[in-house]
Amino acid sequence: MCASNIRSQSGAALILSLLLLLVLTLLAVSSMQGTIMQERMVSGEREGMQSLEIAESALRDAEVALEGINILSVFDGSNGLFGQDDAAPDPLTMDWSTSGNVVAATPVDGVTPRYFIQHMGDANQPEKLTDIVVEGYTHETGAANAQAFRIVAWSPGATGESRRVIESYYARQF
Amino acid sequence: MTSFRERLPAFMLGFLLIAPCSGYASPGELADEPLYLASVIEPNIMFIKDDSGSMQWETIPDGVANTSYLFPPADNMYGGATYSIRIPSFEDGNTFNLAGRTSANNPLFYNPLTTYQPWYNEDRTQWPSVAPDAAPFNPGRSASGTLDLTSSHQHFYWRSNSAGAFNQWRTYYPVTFYVIEDSSGNLVSDPNNGTYQRIQIRGGTAYKKNLVTGTEQTLSSFDWSSDVSRTVTQEVQNFANWFSYHRSRTLAARAGIGDAFSRQPENLRIGYGSLNKGSSSVDGVNTSVISSGVRGFSGTDRAAFFDTLYTSNVPAAGTPLKGALDKAGEYYQRTDSRGPWGATPGTTSAEAQLECRRAFSILMTDGYYSDSVSGFGNTDGTDGPTIGDFSYEAVSPFTDGRSNTLADVAMYYWKNDLRTDLDNKIRPTKLNPAFWQHMTTYGVGLGVTGSVDPDSAFAAIESGADITWPGTGTNAGKIDDLLHAGVNSRGGFFSAADPETFAKDLSGVLFDIVNIEGTSTGVTFNTATLETDTLLFGARFDSTSWTGDLFAFGLTQNQNGPPTINANESWEAAALLNARDLTNDPRNIITSDGTAGISLTWDQLNAEQQADLRYGGDDALGQQRINYLRGFSVNGMRTRDSLLGDIVNSTPVYVSRPSRDWPNAVPFGTTANTYADFKAAKQNRTPVVYVGANDGMLHAFSADENNGGRELFGYIPEFIFSDEDDRGLHFLTDPDYQHRFYVDLSPVVSDVYTQGAGNSASDWRTILIGGARAGGRGIFALDVTDPTQFSENTASNIALWEFTSDDDPRMGYITEPPTIGLARWGNNDYRWTAFFGNGYNSPTPATGIFMLDIEGGLDGDWSDSGDYRFIAFDTASDASGMSAVRQLDLTGNRIIDRIYAGDLKGNVWAAEVQNNGTWSTVHGNNSNPAPLFTATYGSPAEPQPITTAPMVVRNPLADPGNTDPGLLVLFGTGQYLVLDDTISTDIQSFYGIIDDGTSNLNRGDLAERSLAESSITVDNVDYNVRESDGEVFDGENGWYVDFDTEVRERIIQSPQVRGDYVFVNSTIPSDDPCSVGGSGWLMAFGLDGRTPDRVIWPKLGDEYVGYKTEGGLPNRSGFLGDFMFTTRSDNEILTDEVDVGGDQSALGRMSWQELYD
């Protein structure tokens, strides 16, 4: 009797398990895809963060370099140093990696960020101790004059697929 | 007894002047020379002249005419034996004749292009012109007899190239000479370029014979060149003066030496001797060669020098140069007080012997030495003893391989310390590093030359280039040895064949020795920060000849530390002015006749100006004086070594495009004509440097790239003219001129909206206000808006006005320029105003501040009501006079609303504008003004004079209780104006006073800071440094620092504030004559008076107030970005890097943003 029962079995389990397997496979594949997507998103974000940090480092480099400059006349539109009257390039459309008219900053993790500095003229200064004194055609009382500079720094990411551009205004005394 | 008085017209003051008297608290008579020059040491000079027999000769070089003389010598004419009396025969074909009697061949012989001068006496008067019919053979020795040059004579002993020596009575005419003329009649020196012409005077008639054609013509006059023409009588006279005063080597040398020495000032000590002088006692020690020990070059000693020069004998003896130099060296080794180092040589004065006196010997010769010395070995080829940290190294160009040469003698007395018992305090120079007592030798040749070029030999001292010294066996080698002696002892050498050059070069040698340069001015720049084209402008003066210079130096930036000042000037204004062709490119010299600007021409001057210029003479003399002032030399007037006079206290001002910070709104200009419009219009204005000089003028020099240093105009203020003795412009032309100050005040320049000269239409103008400092009680204003319009024709547009003690007798001598600003004079009445303290020694004693309406004097006088105001603080009879002012704008609208100034009684006064536009004292009240503070020291309290403008800043020493007006007034005390000030030992101080409205503050209200000094060594450089310490500030009304660590230290400059630090240099005049000028400290205090809280001076490596500089008095510093340039009175320029940080909040990164597409 049992044997006849066996013979009468119709085999739905296989199909079911195949179906289950299919469902599980689909689940597995789709979760794989999400993970890969996640992973890609993370690495893209990381690259963007990295290039921002590297650009930031270039900005600091530029500020250090700026503090080391003693004469304003080096801002003559060459070597990445632009004067007041020079037309500085548009930082978003220019080709940073090949343009000669920018300064290469210290490479970070094999990535070389770049920057340029533009002299913007006298820095508007808040009230100074000495500004109550009215003088003639000299720098009699020794009051110094502060100059403003615009620094634009750019960095690609590690793969070259991302880029970040930051701009800062900087004032220093001359 | 003080009262506030304003708008008091000058004519009213006349009535107040019943008994004018000088203020008793006035500083006394202001010095006529820079004070630190009083301590300059007179150098010792031993002058040894050649009296060898060859000096009798009448030819150069030796043997050119094959005889010693060209005229038959008189017996004993030089007080000793004479040489052969054979002379060249007068035949035209005799080459000895042509060689000797043509100046082109024999530079000693009569040259008609030269006007021969009789000898000079010690006071520059001259010996008489000689009578041609009785011309002395030697004017210094009457026994030598005379020669009648106008008639013929007979002679028996002759020499010619064809007949050799022959004896025959022949007639000759003494006035016979040859010239070489080219085809167009010009005199030339090369016989190949022209033909010989014989000029002869026979029986009063002049004949000219062409030696080629043989034709002879008579001449009625001589036209030698465009400049030189003479009548026959004049020609004979000139020949006679040549015959008696210049004919032979010794006569020409006497003329040259006398000319050169008579030009010298009295601050030399000169001894003299001659090569063949036998042994005798000189100041108690037996010596040969030297006939007189060194003596001050004045009075009877000066006269004796000239007497000996002109009357001493010339024996027929040799040329023992080496022995003579040895004797000079031995003389300088004397230690007794009668010797060369004594305070008064020749006396047994017990006064200390100065360690810094220089010793020179000048060795003059016409030929080749004939003696030898021993015991010197090869001194210049052997390293010298170590003196201090210096030791002579036997290197080129000093060393050679020979022993006992003249150069060895010179080196011996240079490399060895001649006075081991004295401290070594000689000031080294660029050329001469010796700081021990040594002898410097100058070689002076008359008509002799060696084979080594003197210029390259002296250049080799610095470059170390190889100089190969030839052997001393040959005649040329002996002259090279004389040059070598000059090189070895870092002296000099020249050789001149013609007497004129000889006199000029000898004068140059003496000038080098006594030359003292200095400066009391600061520096200025053409940019505010260091750039590639930055120029540093400075000025200097030379006290020997009272000439000056304005110079520009380029700067080269360095990776670390301050920029380097280039080695050579970019330009020097004096050199350019001297080189200027004054005839074709005349100078623009303008002045004012009291109402309008005029050019300096006789007809345009007013009566008083003419009276000055014709002083002691007539109108023609006046016209000549004008020529002199315009730069031409005039016979009989003072000879100037350079046209630009000394610039002592006037710091140059650089003016290019308008650079003030005036707002673009009424009342600054009009709405249709704002300051921005002016700035735009004058954007490319020619840069000009203005400076006042003591040649009577304010000079404008171009600072343009292409034309730098060219004088654009000179302005002589009308108030400088004076017809009194020893004053005014005529004194400048006087050969007996003693230094006075003329236009010595630093100019000040600003842009103002005002009417122009002669009340022309209002416009923006750049005006300059200058003055005379100690040279006169007055100031003047010029319109310098447009440098392209500077010329004499536009003088009336340039000169605006002058304001002097004649306009108001309360005006005294001011030492710093006025300040210029827009101020309120009444309701809606804004005027451009010049503020200045009334200065010292005013005819009517007063202490107060003048406010001049810049337009007030344009009508030619100051007598209208409201032309000017005087804010009186002290009108007592002992009022001291007010020093320079500081003008302030407390409200930020750039309109002046408050002024501060100090006086010599130590009072700090302040005045401010009231609601109705009147100005009155801030402290006390109008009828009884009170000072903010009175600076005193000690008990009983001695006032400390304030001679400079106080610096005023917002008060950073926060004290919430004291806010109104919250100012910190910074100033130092001390006076350096009159002769007595140099020795004053009063303790002076530096103050920071908080003005919160409290009056009558004194030292007790302040916090004390005390100085401590120490020595440090950074990078192998030693510094004396200072720290200032005191209690943390706690509500006091300020602080003070007493300069009690050094004697005589004082502050005579206005302080400067950079960042949160106040910079000031102190002045320490020296009482040690060997410390030239003195010393001073370069200091920066925190605004609380203590050591700055950061490393202000990076080179000192730690926090210090500052460091000491010695060798000269530091002047006020100039700042160029983070670099500080300080001139010193000895003409050094110190450069420092200073780090004051930024104004923190306002510097560094101002913003940050990311840029997106």
Side-chain angles (χ1 to χ4, degrees):
Chain A
M1 273 102 44
C2 288
S4 69
N5 272 348
I6 288 165
R7 207 172 293 124
S8 67
Q9 281 174 349
S10 52
L14 178 66
I15 291 164
L16 264 177
S17 49
L18 282 174
L19 276 172
L20 265 172
L21 192 64
L22 179 68
V23 169
L24 284 174
T25 308
L26 281 172
L27 266 173
V29 168
S30 75
S31 88
M32 274 287 273
Q33 269 179 336
T35 306
I36 288 168
M37 177 66 96
Q38 287 281 337
E39 208 167 85
R40 282 197 183 143
M41 280 167 63
V42 166
S43 87
E45 184 145 324
R46 178 174 174 276
E47 176 131 351
M49 290 302 284
Q50 200 177 18
S51 53
L52 180 66
E53 291 304 329
I54 297 174
E56 193 70 73
S57 147
L59 195 62
R60 282 300 305 152
D61 277 359
E63 288 172 0
V64 170
L66 184 55
E67 285 291 342
I69 290 174
N70 285 329
I71 54 176
L72 283 174
S73 41
V74 301
F75 294 93
D76 58 358
S78 65
N79 301 323
L81 304 175
F82 296 90
Q84 268 176 283
D85 304 326
D86 297 320
D90 180 345
L92 295 177
T93 56
M94 74 182 287
D95 185 349
W96 282 88
S97 51
T98 58
S99 167
N101 209 359
V102 292
V103 185
T106 318
V108 181
D109 292 343
V111 178
T112 304
R114 294 179 161 79
Y115 65 84
F116 68 80
I117 306 178
Q118 185 173 21
H119 174 216
M120 303 304 285
D122 290 342
N124 234 340
Q125 290 293 293
E127 194 170 83
K128 275 191 296 202
L129 294 178
T130 50
D131 62 9
I132 53 174
V133 175
V134 182
E135 295 184 88
Y137 265 81
T138 45
H139 306 275
E140 273 275 289
T141 51
N145 101 2
Q147 298 292 316
F149 300 88
R150 168 186 178 231
I151 306 171
V152 181
W154 161 93
S155 176
T159 62
E161 289 300 307
S162 72
R163 65 160 206 174
R164 301 290 281 270
V165 180
I166 52 179
E167 176 190 71
S168 136
Y169 280 84
Y170 191 89
R172 69 158 286 213
Q173 217 157 30
F174 266 86
Chain B
M1 275 300 294
T2 54
S3 68
F4 174 69
R5 196 182 289 123
E6 62 167 11
R7 296 200 204 197
L8 192 53
F11 66 85
M12 282 287 289
L13 280 162
F15 297 107
L16 298 173
L17 281 173
I18 297 159
C21 54
S22 287
Y24 295 109
S26 69
E29 196 178 336
L30 305 188
D32 281 334
E33 289 186 7
L35 288 168
Y36 50 85
L37 289 182
S39 61
V40 170
I41 307 304
E42 304 154 341
N44 281 335
I45 301 173
M46 178 54 66
F47 182 75
I48 298 170
K49 102 178 171 323
D50 192 342
D51 62 349
S52 64
S54 55
M55 289 296 284
Q56 295 189 11
W57 297 354
E58 294 170 1
T59 57
I60 283 177
D62 288 0
V64 65
N66 230 348
T67 62
S68 301
Y69 306 109
L70 298 171
F71 295 87
D75 283 347
N76 269 340
M77 63 182 179
Y78 297 113
T82 50
Y83 293 88
S84 162
I85 64 171
R86 214 169 273 290
I87 62 172
S89 66
F90 280 84
E91 293 152 324
D92 294 334
N94 177 7
T95 54
F96 296 157
N97 179 25
L98 292 183
R101 297 197 175 100
T102 313
S103 70
N105 303 328
N106 169 17
L108 265 187
F109 200 72
Y110 179 73
N111 179 354
L113 289 176
T114 305
T115 299
Y116 289 93
Q117 298 292 334
W119 294 342
Y120 285 93
N121 290 313
E122 67 275 12
D123 55 359
R124 287 295 286 170
T125 56
Q126 284 179 284
W127 288 51
S129 283
V130 300
D133 59 357
F137 278 95
N138 175 2
R141 185 184 147 82
S142 49
S144 59
T146 62
L147 182 68
D148 180 357
L149 301 174
T150 58
S151 38
S152 63
H153 299 275
Q154 296 267 314
H155 188 58
F156 192 66
Y157 301 98
W158 304 98
R159 187 184 288 279
S160 75
N161 61 318
S162 51
F166 64 98
N167 302 340
Q168 181 182 26
W169 285 110
R170 283 190 178 185
T171 300
Y172 71 94
Y173 295 92
V175 186
T176 302
F177 60 93
Y178 297 85
V179 295
I180 307 170
E181 255 183 27
D182 67 7
S183 50
S184 36
N186 297 320
L187 298 192
V188 294
S189 55
D190 187 348
N192 297 322
N193 294 338
T195 52
Y196 278 100
Q197 313 278 337
R198 186 186 74 189
I199 312 294
Q200 199 164 57
I201 313 277
R202 299 198 295 268
T205 311
Y207 299 92
K208 177 178 177 184
K209 180 180 178 188
N210 185 321
L211 296 201
V212 175
T213 62
T215 54
E216 187 168 53
Q217 52 176 329
T218 61
L219 292 179
S220 55
S221 65
F222 296 94
D223 288 311
W224 298 113
S225 73
S226 56
D227 297 332
V228 183
S229 56
R230 295 191 189 93
T231 64
V232 174
T233 316
Q234 287 171 333
E235 196 69 40
V236 172
Q237 179 63 59
N238 198 41
F239 192 90
N241 282 346
W242 165 79
F243 177 85
S244 292
Y245 292 112
H246 298 263
R247 181 183 77 254
S248 68
R249 293 183 188 182
T250 190
L251 295 174
R254 288 173 191 192
I257 295 165
D259 185 7
F261 275 84
S262 62
R263 291 170 190 270
Q264 298 312 312
E266 296 186 345
N267 57 353
L268 301 166
R269 307 207 308 186
I270 290 186
Y272 46 92
S274 45
L275 298 182
N276 292 301
K277 187 232 150 209
S279 184
S280 66
S281 168
V282 171
D283 300 331
V285 175
N286 280 331
T287 178
S288 57
V289 178
I290 294 166
S291 49
S292 166
V294 295
R295 296 287 187 278
F297 200 44
S298 60
T300 52
D301 291 320
R302 190 175 174 114
F305 172 85
F306 285 85
D307 188 50
T308 311
L309 172 69
Y310 292 139
T311 60
S312 59
N313 294 338
V314 184
T319 311
L321 273 189
K322 291 179 183 172
L325 189 59
D326 187 23
K327 289 293 176 227
E330 282 177 8
Y331 174 67
Y332 281 128
Q333 282 178 313
R334 285 178 62 164
T335 57
D336 58 307
S337 63
R338 295 177 67 185
W341 305 96
T344 316
T347 71
T348 49
S349 157
E351 237 180 292
Q353 305 195 359
L354 295 179
E355 306 96 338
C356 56
R357 196 182 297 282
R358 293 173 183 283
F360 298 88
S361 62
I362 302 177
L363 209 49
M364 187 236 130
T365 180
D366 73 324
Y368 316 110
Y369 56 72
S370 53
D371 66 330
S372 55
V373 288
S374 60
F376 289 92
N378 183 15
T379 310
D380 57 17
T382 317
D383 289 351
T386 301
I387 304 171
D389 53 1
F390 187 92
S391 164
Y392 165 71
E393 281 176 56
V395 294
S396 186
F398 311 113
T399 184
D400 65 9
R402 275 167 284 279
S403 296
N404 294 317
T405 61
L406 189 64
D408 286 321
V409 180
M411 176 54 82
Y412 178 83
Y413 290 108
W414 183 83
K415 76 175 184 182
N416 289 298
D417 188 352
L418 301 184
R419 290 294 304 276
T420 48
D421 54 332
L422 290 183
D423 284 349
N424 295 327
K425 282 196 177 171
I426 308 249
R427 205 171 133 223
T429 64
K430 203 170 167 188
L431 181 70
N432 187 353
F435 49 84
W436 55 92
Q437 288 76 30
H438 64 280
M439 180 172 80
T440 298
T441 302
Y442 281 80
V444 171
L446 179 66
V448 286
T449 46
S451 59
V452 178
D453 173 34
D455 288 342
S456 31
F458 278 97
I461 294 181
E462 203 169 339
S463 69
D466 270 344
I467 299 287
T468 308
W469 295 103
T472 55
T474 64
N475 283 343
K478 288 174 178 170
I479 300 305
D480 287 331
D481 198 16
L482 184 60
L483 166 63
H484 191 177
V487 170
N488 274 359
S489 63
R490 321 295 173 110
F493 173 86
F494 76 84
S495 178
D498 69 293
E500 260 184 294
T501 318
F502 177 80
K504 200 169 125 265
D505 287 355
L506 181 59
S507 206
V509 165
L510 293 166
F511 188 74
D512 276 356
I513 291 174
V514 291
N515 182 13
I516 303 148
E517 293 194 328
T519 178
S520 297
T521 66
V523 292
T524 193
F525 307 94
N526 59 346
T527 55
T529 60
L530 185 60
E531 316 236 1
T532 46
D533 58 351
T534 293
L535 286 176
L536 174 152
F537 302 101
R540 60 182 162 228
F541 69 88
D542 180 328
S543 66
T544 321
S545 54
W546 292 115
T547 55
D549 206 350
L550 175 81
F551 53 83
F553 274 111
L555 300 173
T556 309
Q557 75 155 333
N558 289 319
Q559 205 65 37
N560 291 306
T564 312
I565 299 171
N566 294 352
N568 294 315
E569 291 87 353
S570 299
W571 47 258
E572 292 170 295
L576 291 168
L577 188 58
N578 293 333
R580 186 159 165 173
D581 176 355
L582 296 174
T583 312
N584 298 317
D585 183 15
R587 296 168 67 187
N588 292 312
I589 310 292
I590 63 178
T591 176
S592 162
D593 65 2
T595 48
I598 53 173
S599 70
L600 182 71
T601 44
W602 185 256
D603 300 339
Q604 298 196 36
L605 296 176
N606 67 27
E608 279 126 43
Q609 291 171 318
Q610 290 184 343
D612 174 356
L613 292 174
R614 80 159 81 84
Y615 174 85
D618 53 11
D619 288 7
L621 177 65
Q623 308 242 22
Q624 283 195 314
R625 287 206 170 109
I626 287 180
N627 283 340
Y628 180 93
L629 292 168
R630 286 179 172 278
F632 296 95
S633 312
V634 177
N635 231 343
M637 295 188 184
R638 179 172 66 104
T639 38
R640 288 170 290 192
D641 293 308
S642 166
L643 296 185
L644 187 54
D646 54 298
I647 300 169
V648 179
N649 287 301
S650 181
T651 298
V653 177
Y654 174 87
V655 178
S656 112
R657 61 173 182 271
S659 66
R660 308 309 328 282
D661 55 355
W662 306 135
N664 297 312
V666 179
F668 291 83
T670 61
T671 43
N673 189 359
T674 63
Y675 188 59
D677 297 331
F678 180 63
K679 267 175 146 170
K682 298 289 175 195
Q683 183 64 27
N684 299 315
R685 181 159 66 182
T686 314
V688 180
V689 178
Y690 299 93
V691 71
N694 295 309
D695 54 11
M697 299 179 208
L698 176 108
H699 298 270
F701 295 104
S702 171
D704 197 43
E705 244 174 83
N706 309 315
N707 222 356
R710 179 184 158 81
E711 188 195 53
L712 300 176
F713 75 86
Y715 176 78
I716 305 178
E718 191 215 356
F719 66 80
I720 287 292
F721 287 85
S722 164
D723 59 0
E724 289 174 57
D725 291 345
D726 302 348
R727 276 174 208 289
L729 297 174
H730 68 264
F731 191 42
L732 284 169
T733 69
D734 189 339
D736 294 328
Y737 169 77
Q738 296 286 313
H739 188 259
R740 274 187 60 76
F741 288 113
Y742 284 85
V743 185
D744 198 38
L745 190 70
S746 300
V748 61
V749 180
S750 194
D751 297 326
V752 303
Y753 186 82
T754 168
Q755 293 178 344
N759 291 98
S760 54
S762 291
D763 199 352
W764 280 103
R765 296 172 197 280
T766 302
I767 68 159
L768 174 150
I769 296 182
R773 209 166 182 274
R777 290 181 277 229
I779 57 170
F780 58 88
L782 305 179
D783 181 345
V784 294
T785 311
D786 189 352
T788 61
Q789 295 298 311
F790 289 164
S791 82
E792 292 195 5
N793 301 333
T794 57
S796 58
N797 296 337
I798 297 174
L800 293 177
W801 45 255
E802 298 188 8
F803 181 83
T804 70
S805 55
D806 291 339
D807 295 305
D808 189 317
R810 293 170 296 195
M811 172 83 187
Y813 297 96
I814 63 171
T815 54
E816 283 181 47
T819 61
I820 302 171
L822 186 66
R824 198 152 62 83
W825 286 53
N827 286 326
N828 268 326
D829 179 7
Y830 294 93
R831 303 190 195 179
W832 289 94
T833 309
F835 294 94
F836 53 97
N838 69 319
Y840 317 123
N841 296 351
S842 49
T844 302
T847 299
I849 296 173
F850 278 108
M851 293 173 62
L852 300 192
D853 178 352
I854 300 245
E855 293 182 349
L858 291 177
D859 57 357
D861 64 54
W862 293 94
S863 56
D864 305 323
S865 167
D867 276 354
Y868 73 95
R869 293 178 183 178
F870 185 71
I871 310 168
F873 293 98
D874 184 356
T875 53
S877 62
D878 68 344
S880 68
M882 189 73 94
S883 302
V885 304
R886 177 72 60 199
Q887 64 179 12
L888 302 175
D889 154 37
L890 300 185
T891 48
N893 56 9
R894 306 321 275 163
I895 297 172
I896 310 304
D897 40 33
R898 191 180 265 247
I899 34 182
Y900 281 85
D903 68 17
L904 300 185
K905 293 180 182 172
N907 296 314
V908 181
W909 305 98
E912 67 181 351
V913 66
Q914 309 298 317
N915 287 336
N916 61 2
T918 57
W919 283 73
S920 61
T921 177
V922 173
H923 300 281
N925 55 51
N926 284 352
S927 56
N928 204 3
L932 162 67
F933 174 79
T934 304
T936 57
Y937 181 86
S939 169
E942 279 288 319
Q944 297 172 300
I946 302 169
T947 53
T948 60
M951 179 65 196
V952 184
V953 297
R954 292 182 197 283
N955 178 19
L957 308 168
D959 181 356
N962 294 336
T963 51
D964 183 35
L967 298 178
L968 180 63
V969 184
L970 300 154
F971 61 92
T973 66
Q975 183 175 308
Y976 196 56
L977 296 169
V978 301
L979 213 49
D980 287 348
D981 292 339
T982 55
I983 51 167
S984 164
T985 54
D986 296 346
I987 303 283
Q988 304 296 342
S989 314
F990 191 75
Y991 291 93
I993 308 294
I994 295 169
D995 187 349
D996 58 7
T998 317
S999 310
N1000 283 318
L1001 297 171
N1002 60 43
R1003 177 171 277 256
D1005 302 311
L1006 310 180
E1008 181 183 357
R1009 273 80 179 90
S1010 54
L1011 291 175
E1013 289 181 13
S1014 55
S1015 299
I1016 57 165
T1017 304
V1018 185
D1019 293 336
N1020 296 320
V1021 184
D1022 296 327
Y1023 298 98
N1024 284 326
V1025 295
R1026 220 170 222 194
E1027 288 168 274
S1028 171
D1029 204 12
E1031 299 286 314
V1032 174
F1033 211 74
D1034 183 27
E1036 286 91 350
N1037 283 88
W1039 48 267
Y1040 66 90
V1041 184
D1042 288 333
F1043 297 114
D1044 48 11
T1045 58
E1046 294 253 18
V1047 188
R1048 287 181 300 280
E1049 184 169 5
R1050 68 206 58 191
I1051 305 285
I1052 54 168
Q1053 305 154 9
S1054 182
Q1056 308 179 73
V1057 172
R1058 268 181 90 82
D1060 284 342
Y1061 310 96
V1062 53
F1063 286 80
V1064 70
N1065 302 334
S1066 68
T1067 296
I1068 310 174
S1070 169
D1071 70 334
D1072 173 6
C1074 282
S1075 158
V1076 177
S1079 54
W1081 286 80
L1082 274 54
M1083 296 181 286
F1085 292 97
L1087 289 178
D1088 61 357
R1090 301 195 296 173
T1091 307
D1093 51 7
R1094 65 182 297 136
V1095 181
I1096 295 286
W1097 312 94
K1099 74 175 181 189
L1100 301 181
D1102 208 341
E1103 293 169 6
Y1104 292 108
V1105 166
Y1107 69 96
K1108 187 173 186 180
T1109 176
E1110 289 182 87
L1113 306 171
N1115 298 317
R1116 194 159 187 253
S1117 301
F1119 287 93
L1120 184 66
D1122 281 341
F1123 306 117
M1124 183 172 120
F1125 294 76
T1126 313
T1127 56
R1128 230 168 42 185
S1129 60
D1130 58 346
N1131 245 345
E1132 288 287 309
I1133 302 179
L1134 310 174
T1135 54
D1136 278 290
E1137 183 174 6
V1138 295
D1139 177 12
V1140 296
D1143 283 330
Q1144 292 77 20
S1145 59
L1147 296 178
R1149 193 179 287 186
M1150 316 295 290
S1151 72
W1152 185 96
Q1153 67 170 334
E1154 183 163 10
L1155 303 178
Y1156 299 96
D1157 282 328

